[in-house]
Amino acid sequence: MDVLNTSTVSEFVLLGLSSSWELQVLFFMAFSLLYVATLVGNSLLVITVIADSHLHSPMYFLLTNLSIIDMSLASFATPKMITDYLTGHKTISFDGCITQIFFLHLFTGTEIILLMAMSFDRYIAICKPLHYASIISPQVCVALVVASWVVGIMHSMSQVIFALTLSFCGPNKVDSFFCDLPVVFQLACVDTYILGLFMISTSGIIALSCFVLLFTSYVIVLVTIKRHSSRGSSKALSTCTAHFIVVFLFFGPCICIYMWPQNSFLIEKVLSVFYTIFTPILNPVIYSLRNQEVKTAMKKLKNRFLNSNKAIPSHHF
């Protein structure tokens, strides 16, 4: 920890997405709406799954956990960015910066493993349906979720330990709206090429390897579905298509940011906004629009809520 003593930077300045006042007002309004929509959409999905007994299955258990991670991913930096637009205070302490790096990698690392668990669930359901109940038991589901969080914690700890060994002795302007290693390490007083190799060998290769594995499993699943053309297989195709869209939207920006850490700041900003703000809101939209079971359960929940509201006045008269 002696290395930390060489860091003279006590805080970083987050330059945000733009210095234009007009654009900042636009971003404030857009991201405030998106953040609220993310919380409402994912909460609604979680409540729907819990309230409807027909959705008490491994796939929906994993989906509720995905929604919880998405709300967390949307919350690690977006609320600070929104309040920064209001107050004009755009600095973050060194400890705050390290905390953001920790939570970013915790939630993204956990989501990667959870998406793989969801892919494994669909693979067994479609390719080995007779063994599904024995392989994907409630205990296995809980174990998969716990494993995803354990891997997420281990991954984020490795990133934080690495970040703490960096020496910051001058520049402190982070050209983004949150702290992450690809932008922060370029401010360090060491050779960035070696750091770039570290970035690629950990986050980049992990993300790319997982994506290739997921893509392969979805190809196998889609080929299996094509062989069995029926009503059940069309439902399976719809579910798997939704899964793959979510996987592609999440992994695409991650792979670009971490495989090529020397990207232009503009590209990194766009990609960062995409997977920290847009992807968390897209997940509930994609799953609810493409999944008939979720749509039916949401209608039932809405009708139950409306009927309970109608019943309340009748008690008073």
Side-chain angles (χ1 to χ4, degrees):
M1 297 293 283
D2 289 339
V3 187
L4 290 176
N5 295 334
T6 60
S7 292
T8 56
V9 173
S10 61
E11 65 177 20
F12 293 98
V13 178
L14 299 172
L15 296 181
L17 298 172
S18 173
S19 57
S20 162
W21 187 82
E22 290 84 359
L23 278 176
Q24 286 185 25
V25 172
L26 178 67
F27 290 146
F28 168 74
M29 293 170 69
F31 295 147
S32 296
L33 287 171
L34 281 170
Y35 181 62
V36 171
T38 299
L39 296 183
V40 171
N42 282 288
S43 298
L44 189 60
L45 197 57
V46 171
I47 292 164
T48 303
V49 172
I50 292 169
D52 196 311
S53 58
H54 295 101
L55 301 181
H56 291 177
S57 66
M59 184 179 88
Y60 293 109
F61 173 72
L62 295 173
L63 183 57
T64 55
N65 280 277
L66 181 68
S67 286
I68 290 164
I69 293 170
D70 279 334
M71 285 189 280
S72 305
L73 183 60
S75 300
F76 89 97
T78 311
K80 174 171 169 51
M81 177 181 65
I82 291 167
T83 54
D84 284 352
Y85 282 134
L86 275 177
T87 61
H89 177 77
K90 295 190 176 181
T91 58
I92 186 169
S93 67
F94 183 85
D95 290 342
C97 192
I98 297 297
T99 303
Q100 280 195 342
I101 290 171
F102 173 80
F103 282 115
L104 170 65
H105 286 273
L106 169 64
F107 299 136
T108 51
T110 304
E111 183 154 339
I112 283 172
I113 304 302
L114 193 62
L115 286 170
M116 292 186 75
M118 292 172 78
S119 166
F120 175 66
D121 170 73
R122 288 302 84 203
Y123 172 79
I124 299 297
I126 291 161
C127 299
K128 299 180 185 294
L130 298 176
H131 303 286
Y132 181 76
S134 59
I135 296 172
I136 310 291
S137 64
Q139 291 84 357
V140 169
C141 282
V142 171
L144 288 169
V145 171
V146 170
S148 66
W149 281 102
V150 169
V151 171
I153 289 167
M154 288 168 64
H155 170 66
S156 59
M157 285 304 295
S158 71
Q159 301 296 299
V160 165
I161 290 166
F162 174 71
L164 287 171
T165 62
L166 296 176
S167 174
F168 299 96
C169 51
N172 72 334
K173 290 180 179 171
V174 177
D175 200 3
S176 183
F177 63 95
F178 65 88
C179 289
D180 190 16
L181 279 178
V183 284
V184 170
F185 86 72
Q186 294 186 37
L187 303 175
C189 309
V190 279
D191 182 10
T192 56
Y193 178 72
I194 297 164
L195 294 169
L197 286 178
F198 173 82
M199 295 293 302
I200 293 168
S201 65
T202 54
S203 301
I205 287 177
I206 289 167
L208 184 62
S209 304
C210 292
F211 179 73
V212 170
L213 199 63
L214 283 165
F215 182 76
T216 307
S217 74
Y218 281 119
V219 169
I220 295 166
V221 165
L222 291 172
V223 168
T224 307
I225 291 169
K226 199 174 178 184
R227 286 180 191 158
H228 305 86
S229 53
S230 66
R231 187 173 171 272
S233 65
S234 65
K235 176 187 160 187
L237 178 64
S238 179
T239 305
C240 285
T241 308
H243 275 287
F244 186 73
I245 291 168
V246 168
V247 165
F248 182 77
L249 291 175
F250 179 76
F251 276 92
C254 283
I255 291 167
C256 289
I257 287 172
Y258 295 107
M259 286 297 286
W260 294 279
Q262 302 284 3
N263 272 335
S264 76
F265 284 121
L266 179 62
I267 294 169
E268 284 195 358
K269 281 181 182 181
V270 172
L271 294 173
S272 296
V273 167
F274 201 85
Y275 83 92
T276 57
I277 295 173
F278 283 105
T279 306
I281 182 61
L282 286 175
N283 289 359
V285 170
I286 290 166
Y287 281 112
S288 58
L289 288 179
R290 294 196 62 86
N291 191 309
Q292 191 57 49
E293 284 180 332
V294 174
K295 281 196 278 189
T296 305
M298 281 184 171
K299 280 177 187 172
K300 279 163 65 179
L301 189 67
K302 185 184 81 172
N303 291 337
R304 198 192 307 176
F305 178 74
L306 291 174
N307 290 335
S308 67
N309 277 355
K310 285 177 185 174
I312 290 168
S314 63
H315 290 295
H316 294 292
F317 297 103

PDB file of all heavy atoms in Angstrom, residues 153-184:
ATOM      1  N   ILE A 153     -17.790 -10.154  -7.368  1.00  0.00           N
ATOM      2  CA  ILE A 153     -16.989  -9.569  -6.281  1.00  0.00           C
ATOM      3  C   ILE A 153     -15.497  -9.803  -6.520  1.00  0.00           C
ATOM      4  O   ILE A 153     -14.677  -8.883  -6.371  1.00  0.00           O
ATOM      5  CB  ILE A 153     -17.428 -10.159  -4.911  1.00  0.00           C
ATOM      6  CG1 ILE A 153     -18.820  -9.634  -4.530  1.00  0.00           C
ATOM      7  CG2 ILE A 153     -16.424  -9.813  -3.808  1.00  0.00           C
ATOM      8  CD1 ILE A 153     -19.475 -10.383  -3.386  1.00  0.00           C
ATOM      9  N   MET A 154     -15.144 -11.039  -6.920  1.00  0.00           N
ATOM     10  CA  MET A 154     -13.730 -11.362  -7.170  1.00  0.00           C
ATOM     11  C   MET A 154     -13.160 -10.518  -8.306  1.00  0.00           C
ATOM     12  O   MET A 154     -12.058  -9.982  -8.216  1.00  0.00           O
ATOM     13  CB  MET A 154     -13.580 -12.853  -7.486  1.00  0.00           C
ATOM     14  CG  MET A 154     -13.786 -13.756  -6.283  1.00  0.00           C
ATOM     15  SD  MET A 154     -13.943 -15.499  -6.731  1.00  0.00           S
ATOM     16  CE  MET A 154     -12.314 -15.828  -7.418  1.00  0.00           C
ATOM     17  N   HIS A 155     -13.959 -10.373  -9.375  1.00  0.00           N
ATOM     18  CA  HIS A 155     -13.514  -9.577 -10.523  1.00  0.00           C
ATOM     19  C   HIS A 155     -13.338  -8.106 -10.139  1.00  0.00           C
ATOM     20  O   HIS A 155     -12.318  -7.491 -10.455  1.00  0.00           O
ATOM     21  CB  HIS A 155     -14.529  -9.705 -11.665  1.00  0.00           C
ATOM     22  CG  HIS A 155     -14.286  -8.744 -12.795  1.00  0.00           C
ATOM     23  ND1 HIS A 155     -13.171  -8.800 -13.601  1.00  0.00           N
ATOM     24  CD2 HIS A 155     -15.006  -7.676 -13.228  1.00  0.00           C
ATOM     25  CE1 HIS A 155     -13.218  -7.818 -14.475  1.00  0.00           C
ATOM     26  NE2 HIS A 155     -14.325  -7.121 -14.276  1.00  0.00           N
ATOM     27  N   SER A 156     -14.330  -7.538  -9.430  1.00  0.00           N
ATOM     28  CA  SER A 156     -14.262  -6.118  -9.059  1.00  0.00           C
ATOM     29  C   SER A 156     -13.120  -5.854  -8.084  1.00  0.00           C
ATOM     30  O   SER A 156     -12.450  -4.823  -8.161  1.00  0.00           O
ATOM     31  CB  SER A 156     -15.594  -5.629  -8.478  1.00  0.00           C
ATOM     32  OG  SER A 156     -15.937  -6.369  -7.335  1.00  0.00           O
ATOM     33  N   MET A 157     -12.854  -6.805  -7.173  1.00  0.00           N
ATOM     34  CA  MET A 157     -11.739  -6.650  -6.238  1.00  0.00           C
ATOM     35  C   MET A 157     -10.403  -6.617  -6.985  1.00  0.00           C
ATOM     36  O   MET A 157      -9.519  -5.820  -6.652  1.00  0.00           O
ATOM     37  CB  MET A 157     -11.733  -7.793  -5.216  1.00  0.00           C
ATOM     38  CG  MET A 157     -12.800  -7.682  -4.139  1.00  0.00           C
ATOM     39  SD  MET A 157     -12.737  -6.131  -3.201  1.00  0.00           S
ATOM     40  CE  MET A 157     -11.154  -6.299  -2.382  1.00  0.00           C
ATOM     41  N   SER A 158     -10.268  -7.450  -8.020  1.00  0.00           N
ATOM     42  CA  SER A 158      -9.017  -7.456  -8.803  1.00  0.00           C
ATOM     43  C   SER A 158      -8.812  -6.118  -9.508  1.00  0.00           C
ATOM     44  O   SER A 158      -7.686  -5.602  -9.574  1.00  0.00           O
ATOM     45  CB  SER A 158      -9.036  -8.594  -9.834  1.00  0.00           C
ATOM     46  OG  SER A 158      -9.950  -8.314 -10.884  1.00  0.00           O
ATOM     47  N   GLN A 159      -9.911  -5.528 -10.009  1.00  0.00           N
ATOM     48  CA  GLN A 159      -9.822  -4.233 -10.691  1.00  0.00           C
ATOM     49  C   GLN A 159      -9.472  -3.114  -9.709  1.00  0.00           C
ATOM     50  O   GLN A 159      -8.664  -2.233 -10.027  1.00  0.00           O
ATOM     51  CB  GLN A 159     -11.155  -3.910 -11.385  1.00  0.00           C
ATOM     52  CG  GLN A 159     -11.602  -4.917 -12.413  1.00  0.00           C
ATOM     53  CD  GLN A 159     -10.679  -5.019 -13.609  1.00  0.00           C
ATOM     54  OE1 GLN A 159     -10.473  -4.066 -14.346  1.00  0.00           O
ATOM     55  NE2 GLN A 159     -10.096  -6.189 -13.809  1.00  0.00           N
ATOM     56  N   VAL A 160     -10.080  -3.155  -8.508  1.00  0.00           N
ATOM     57  CA  VAL A 160      -9.824  -2.131  -7.495  1.00  0.00           C
ATOM     58  C   VAL A 160      -8.391  -2.216  -6.977  1.00  0.00           C
ATOM     59  O   VAL A 160      -7.710  -1.198  -6.825  1.00  0.00           O
ATOM     60  CB  VAL A 160     -10.839  -2.254  -6.329  1.00  0.00           C
ATOM     61  CG1 VAL A 160     -10.380  -1.476  -5.111  1.00  0.00           C
ATOM     62  CG2 VAL A 160     -12.210  -1.756  -6.774  1.00  0.00           C
ATOM     63  N   ILE A 161      -7.923  -3.444  -6.717  1.00  0.00           N
ATOM     64  CA  ILE A 161      -6.535  -3.626  -6.245  1.00  0.00           C
ATOM     65  C   ILE A 161      -5.565  -3.076  -7.279  1.00  0.00           C
ATOM     66  O   ILE A 161      -4.592  -2.388  -6.949  1.00  0.00           O
ATOM     67  CB  ILE A 161      -6.252  -5.124  -5.947  1.00  0.00           C
ATOM     68  CG1 ILE A 161      -7.031  -5.548  -4.690  1.00  0.00           C
ATOM     69  CG2 ILE A 161      -4.757  -5.379  -5.754  1.00  0.00           C
ATOM     70  CD1 ILE A 161      -7.108  -7.048  -4.477  1.00  0.00           C
ATOM     71  N   PHE A 162      -5.860  -3.348  -8.560  1.00  0.00           N
ATOM     72  CA  PHE A 162      -5.012  -2.825  -9.632  1.00  0.00           C
ATOM     73  C   PHE A 162      -5.052  -1.297  -9.666  1.00  0.00           C
ATOM     74  O   PHE A 162      -4.024  -0.639  -9.779  1.00  0.00           O
ATOM     75  CB  PHE A 162      -5.465  -3.399 -10.973  1.00  0.00           C
ATOM     76  CG  PHE A 162      -4.740  -2.807 -12.153  1.00  0.00           C
ATOM     77  CD1 PHE A 162      -3.414  -3.098 -12.387  1.00  0.00           C
ATOM     78  CD2 PHE A 162      -5.393  -1.938 -13.014  1.00  0.00           C
ATOM     79  CE1 PHE A 162      -2.745  -2.545 -13.466  1.00  0.00           C
ATOM     80  CE2 PHE A 162      -4.732  -1.387 -14.091  1.00  0.00           C
ATOM     81  CZ  PHE A 162      -3.403  -1.693 -14.320  1.00  0.00           C
ATOM     82  N   ALA A 163      -6.269  -0.732  -9.535  1.00  0.00           N
ATOM     83  CA  ALA A 163      -6.424   0.734  -9.567  1.00  0.00           C
ATOM     84  C   ALA A 163      -5.679   1.393  -8.408  1.00  0.00           C
ATOM     85  O   ALA A 163      -5.096   2.476  -8.562  1.00  0.00           O
ATOM     86  CB  ALA A 163      -7.906   1.110  -9.518  1.00  0.00           C
ATOM     87  N   LEU A 164      -5.661   0.736  -7.242  1.00  0.00           N
ATOM     88  CA  LEU A 164      -4.988   1.297  -6.060  1.00  0.00           C
ATOM     89  C   LEU A 164      -3.463   1.289  -6.185  1.00  0.00           C
ATOM     90  O   LEU A 164      -2.780   2.021  -5.479  1.00  0.00           O
ATOM     91  CB  LEU A 164      -5.412   0.532  -4.796  1.00  0.00           C
ATOM     92  CG  LEU A 164      -6.839   0.786  -4.297  1.00  0.00           C
ATOM     93  CD1 LEU A 164      -7.206  -0.184  -3.188  1.00  0.00           C
ATOM     94  CD2 LEU A 164      -7.007   2.226  -3.827  1.00  0.00           C
ATOM     95  N   THR A 165      -2.942   0.451  -7.090  1.00  0.00           N
ATOM     96  CA  THR A 165      -1.480   0.426  -7.279  1.00  0.00           C
ATOM     97  C   THR A 165      -1.015   1.504  -8.259  1.00  0.00           C
ATOM     98  O   THR A 165       0.187   1.734  -8.387  1.00  0.00           O
ATOM     99  CB  THR A 165      -1.013  -0.952  -7.809  1.00  0.00           C
ATOM    100  OG1 THR A 165      -1.619  -1.183  -9.085  1.00  0.00           O
ATOM    101  CG2 THR A 165      -1.386  -2.078  -6.858  1.00  0.00           C
ATOM    102  N   LEU A 166      -1.966   2.159  -8.926  1.00  0.00           N
ATOM    103  CA  LEU A 166      -1.603   3.215  -9.878  1.00  0.00           C
ATOM    104  C   LEU A 166      -1.175   4.480  -9.130  1.00  0.00           C
ATOM    105  O   LEU A 166      -1.649   4.759  -8.036  1.00  0.00           O
ATOM    106  CB  LEU A 166      -2.787   3.553 -10.790  1.00  0.00           C
ATOM    107  CG  LEU A 166      -3.296   2.448 -11.718  1.00  0.00           C
ATOM    108  CD1 LEU A 166      -4.518   2.925 -12.474  1.00  0.00           C
ATOM    109  CD2 LEU A 166      -2.214   2.011 -12.681  1.00  0.00           C
ATOM    110  N   SER A 167      -0.294   5.234  -9.767  1.00  0.00           N
ATOM    111  CA  SER A 167       0.171   6.491  -9.181  1.00  0.00           C
ATOM    112  C   SER A 167      -0.385   7.649 -10.003  1.00  0.00           C
ATOM    113  O   SER A 167      -0.213   7.696 -11.223  1.00  0.00           O
ATOM    114  CB  SER A 167       1.704   6.510  -9.187  1.00  0.00           C
ATOM    115  OG  SER A 167       2.165   7.754  -8.750  1.00  0.00           O
ATOM    116  N   PHE A 168      -1.082   8.575  -9.332  1.00  0.00           N
ATOM    117  CA  PHE A 168      -1.645   9.751 -10.000  1.00  0.00           C
ATOM    118  C   PHE A 168      -0.928  10.991  -9.463  1.00  0.00           C
ATOM    119  O   PHE A 168      -1.070  11.333  -8.295  1.00  0.00           O
ATOM    120  CB  PHE A 168      -3.150   9.857  -9.734  1.00  0.00           C
ATOM    121  CG  PHE A 168      -3.920   8.676 -10.246  1.00  0.00           C
ATOM    122  CD1 PHE A 168      -4.244   7.620  -9.395  1.00  0.00           C
ATOM    123  CD2 PHE A 168      -4.320   8.604 -11.570  1.00  0.00           C
ATOM    124  CE1 PHE A 168      -4.952   6.526  -9.862  1.00  0.00           C
ATOM    125  CE2 PHE A 168      -5.023   7.507 -12.043  1.00  0.00           C
ATOM    126  CZ  PHE A 168      -5.342   6.467 -11.194  1.00  0.00           C
ATOM    127  N   CYS A 169      -0.157  11.644 -10.319  1.00  0.00           N
ATOM    128  CA  CYS A 169       0.683  12.736  -9.821  1.00  0.00           C
ATOM    129  C   CYS A 169       0.413  14.085 -10.501  1.00  0.00           C
ATOM    130  O   CYS A 169       1.097  15.061 -10.240  1.00  0.00           O
ATOM    131  CB  CYS A 169       2.164  12.374  -9.972  1.00  0.00           C
ATOM    132  SG  CYS A 169       2.588  11.820 -11.632  1.00  0.00           S
ATOM    133  N   GLY A 170      -0.574  14.150 -11.393  1.00  0.00           N
ATOM    134  CA  GLY A 170      -0.810  15.424 -12.083  1.00  0.00           C
ATOM    135  C   GLY A 170      -2.216  15.573 -12.610  1.00  0.00           C
ATOM    136  O   GLY A 170      -3.116  16.031 -11.890  1.00  0.00           O
ATOM    137  N   PRO A 171      -2.445  15.168 -13.877  1.00  0.00           N
ATOM    138  CA  PRO A 171      -3.772  15.342 -14.494  1.00  0.00           C
ATOM    139  C   PRO A 171      -4.861  14.646 -13.687  1.00  0.00           C
ATOM    140  O   PRO A 171      -4.665  13.531 -13.201  1.00  0.00           O
ATOM    141  CB  PRO A 171      -3.612  14.674 -15.873  1.00  0.00           C
ATOM    142  CG  PRO A 171      -2.139  14.594 -16.105  1.00  0.00           C
ATOM    143  CD  PRO A 171      -1.499  14.484 -14.766  1.00  0.00           C
ATOM    144  N   ASN A 172      -6.001  15.302 -13.522  1.00  0.00           N
ATOM    145  CA  ASN A 172      -7.096  14.696 -12.755  1.00  0.00           C
ATOM    146  C   ASN A 172      -8.457  14.874 -13.420  1.00  0.00           C
ATOM    147  O   ASN A 172      -9.490  14.728 -12.785  1.00  0.00           O
ATOM    148  CB  ASN A 172      -7.121  15.272 -11.331  1.00  0.00           C
ATOM    149  CG  ASN A 172      -7.600  16.711 -11.291  1.00  0.00           C
ATOM    150  OD1 ASN A 172      -7.459  17.443 -12.284  1.00  0.00           O
ATOM    151  ND2 ASN A 172      -8.162  17.137 -10.173  1.00  0.00           N
ATOM    152  N   LYS A 173      -8.447  15.196 -14.735  1.00  0.00           N
ATOM    153  CA  LYS A 173      -9.718  15.396 -15.447  1.00  0.00           C
ATOM    154  C   LYS A 173     -10.123  14.106 -16.171  1.00  0.00           C
ATOM    155  O   LYS A 173      -9.464  13.684 -17.117  1.00  0.00           O
ATOM    156  CB  LYS A 173      -9.602  16.564 -16.428  1.00  0.00           C
ATOM    157  CG  LYS A 173      -9.510  17.905 -15.698  1.00  0.00           C
ATOM    158  CD  LYS A 173      -9.399  19.067 -16.660  1.00  0.00           C
ATOM    159  CE  LYS A 173      -9.340  20.380 -15.880  1.00  0.00           C
ATOM    160  NZ  LYS A 173      -9.028  21.534 -16.737  1.00  0.00           N
ATOM    161  N   VAL A 174     -11.222  13.503 -15.689  1.00  0.00           N
ATOM    162  CA  VAL A 174     -11.742  12.264 -16.270  1.00  0.00           C
ATOM    163  C   VAL A 174     -12.754  12.635 -17.352  1.00  0.00           C
ATOM    164  O   VAL A 174     -13.783  13.239 -17.056  1.00  0.00           O
ATOM    165  CB  VAL A 174     -12.418  11.385 -15.189  1.00  0.00           C
ATOM    166  CG1 VAL A 174     -13.025  10.133 -15.804  1.00  0.00           C
ATOM    167  CG2 VAL A 174     -11.420  11.024 -14.094  1.00  0.00           C
ATOM    168  N   ASP A 175     -12.441  12.275 -18.597  1.00  0.00           N
ATOM    169  CA  ASP A 175     -13.308  12.666 -19.715  1.00  0.00           C
ATOM    170  C   ASP A 175     -14.467  11.686 -19.876  1.00  0.00           C
ATOM    171  O   ASP A 175     -14.608  10.987 -20.869  1.00  0.00           O
ATOM    172  CB  ASP A 175     -12.493  12.748 -21.012  1.00  0.00           C
ATOM    173  CG  ASP A 175     -13.194  13.593 -22.075  1.00  0.00           C
ATOM    174  OD1 ASP A 175     -14.274  14.137 -21.771  1.00  0.00           O
ATOM    175  OD2 ASP A 175     -12.676  13.686 -23.198  1.00  0.00           O
ATOM    176  N   SER A 176     -15.297  11.640 -18.829  1.00  0.00           N
ATOM    177  CA  SER A 176     -16.483  10.781 -18.817  1.00  0.00           C
ATOM    178  C   SER A 176     -17.399  11.277 -17.705  1.00  0.00           C
ATOM    179  O   SER A 176     -17.078  12.255 -17.030  1.00  0.00           O
ATOM    180  CB  SER A 176     -16.079   9.325 -18.575  1.00  0.00           C
ATOM    181  OG  SER A 176     -17.220   8.483 -18.630  1.00  0.00           O
ATOM    182  N   PHE A 177     -18.534  10.585 -17.496  1.00  0.00           N
ATOM    183  CA  PHE A 177     -19.436  11.003 -16.415  1.00  0.00           C
ATOM    184  C   PHE A 177     -19.313  10.088 -15.197  1.00  0.00           C
ATOM    185  O   PHE A 177     -20.011  10.250 -14.214  1.00  0.00           O
ATOM    186  CB  PHE A 177     -20.893  11.092 -16.899  1.00  0.00           C
ATOM    187  CG  PHE A 177     -21.484   9.780 -17.349  1.00  0.00           C
ATOM    188  CD1 PHE A 177     -22.239   9.001 -16.472  1.00  0.00           C
ATOM    189  CD2 PHE A 177     -21.312   9.332 -18.651  1.00  0.00           C
ATOM    190  CE1 PHE A 177     -22.802   7.805 -16.892  1.00  0.00           C
ATOM    191  CE2 PHE A 177     -21.867   8.141 -19.075  1.00  0.00           C
ATOM    192  CZ  PHE A 177     -22.614   7.370 -18.198  1.00  0.00           C
ATOM    193  N   PHE A 178     -18.397   9.098 -15.280  1.00  0.00           N
ATOM    194  CA  PHE A 178     -18.095   8.249 -14.122  1.00  0.00           C
ATOM    195  C   PHE A 178     -16.678   7.703 -14.253  1.00  0.00           C
ATOM    196  O   PHE A 178     -16.057   7.791 -15.319  1.00  0.00           O
ATOM    197  CB  PHE A 178     -19.109   7.109 -13.983  1.00  0.00           C
ATOM    198  CG  PHE A 178     -19.087   6.111 -15.124  1.00  0.00           C
ATOM    199  CD1 PHE A 178     -18.239   5.013 -15.098  1.00  0.00           C
ATOM    200  CD2 PHE A 178     -19.941   6.264 -16.212  1.00  0.00           C
ATOM    201  CE1 PHE A 178     -18.226   4.092 -16.137  1.00  0.00           C
ATOM    202  CE2 PHE A 178     -19.938   5.347 -17.256  1.00  0.00           C
ATOM    203  CZ  PHE A 178     -19.075   4.261 -17.218  1.00  0.00           C
ATOM    204  N   CYS A 179     -16.171   7.152 -13.168  1.00  0.00           N
ATOM    205  CA  CYS A 179     -14.819   6.596 -13.163  1.00  0.00           C
ATOM    206  C   CYS A 179     -14.830   5.141 -13.632  1.00  0.00           C
ATOM    207  O   CYS A 179     -15.602   4.334 -13.121  1.00  0.00           O
ATOM    208  CB  CYS A 179     -14.230   6.648 -11.752  1.00  0.00           C
ATOM    209  SG  CYS A 179     -13.810   8.299 -11.193  1.00  0.00           S
ATOM    210  N   ASP A 180     -13.972   4.834 -14.581  1.00  0.00           N
ATOM    211  CA  ASP A 180     -13.718   3.449 -14.966  1.00  0.00           C
ATOM    212  C   ASP A 180     -12.260   3.352 -15.397  1.00  0.00           C
ATOM    213  O   ASP A 180     -11.654   4.354 -15.818  1.00  0.00           O
ATOM    214  CB  ASP A 180     -14.664   3.017 -16.092  1.00  0.00           C
ATOM    215  CG  ASP A 180     -14.603   1.512 -16.343  1.00  0.00           C
ATOM    216  OD1 ASP A 180     -14.073   0.791 -15.471  1.00  0.00           O
ATOM    217  OD2 ASP A 180     -15.083   1.056 -17.395  1.00  0.00           O
ATOM    218  N   LEU A 181     -11.701   2.163 -15.302  1.00  0.00           N
ATOM    219  CA  LEU A 181     -10.265   2.003 -15.561  1.00  0.00           C
ATOM    220  C   LEU A 181      -9.793   2.489 -16.933  1.00  0.00           C
ATOM    221  O   LEU A 181      -8.756   3.137 -17.021  1.00  0.00           O
ATOM    222  CB  LEU A 181      -9.859   0.537 -15.352  1.00  0.00           C
ATOM    223  CG  LEU A 181      -9.627   0.139 -13.887  1.00  0.00           C
ATOM    224  CD1 LEU A 181      -9.279  -1.338 -13.790  1.00  0.00           C
ATOM    225  CD2 LEU A 181      -8.509   0.967 -13.278  1.00  0.00           C
ATOM    226  N   PRO A 182     -10.515   2.207 -18.046  1.00  0.00           N
ATOM    227  CA  PRO A 182     -10.014   2.669 -19.344  1.00  0.00           C
ATOM    228  C   PRO A 182      -9.751   4.172 -19.422  1.00  0.00           C
ATOM    229  O   PRO A 182      -8.827   4.607 -20.105  1.00  0.00           O
ATOM    230  CB  PRO A 182     -11.133   2.262 -20.317  1.00  0.00           C
ATOM    231  CG  PRO A 182     -11.790   1.109 -19.661  1.00  0.00           C
ATOM    232  CD  PRO A 182     -11.740   1.403 -18.194  1.00  0.00           C
ATOM    233  N   VAL A 183     -10.561   4.997 -18.716  1.00  0.00           N
ATOM    234  CA  VAL A 183     -10.324   6.450 -18.762  1.00  0.00           C
ATOM    235  C   VAL A 183      -9.411   6.910 -17.627  1.00  0.00           C
ATOM    236  O   VAL A 183      -8.589   7.800 -17.804  1.00  0.00           O
ATOM    237  CB  VAL A 183     -11.648   7.257 -18.732  1.00  0.00           C
ATOM    238  CG1 VAL A 183     -12.333   7.206 -20.075  1.00  0.00           C
ATOM    239  CG2 VAL A 183     -12.587   6.776 -17.647  1.00  0.00           C
ATOM    240  N   VAL A 184      -9.536   6.251 -16.448  1.00  0.00           N
ATOM    241  CA  VAL A 184      -8.739   6.671 -15.292  1.00  0.00           C
ATOM    242  C   VAL A 184      -7.271   6.315 -15.457  1.00  0.00           C
ATOM    243  O   VAL A 184      -6.384   7.100 -15.110  1.00  0.00           O
ATOM    244  CB  VAL A 184      -9.312   6.070 -13.978  1.00  0.00           C
ATOM    245  CG1 VAL A 184      -8.365   6.290 -12.815  1.00  0.00           C
ATOM    246  CG2 VAL A 184     -10.675   6.692 -13.670  1.00  0.00           C
TER     247      VAL A 184
END
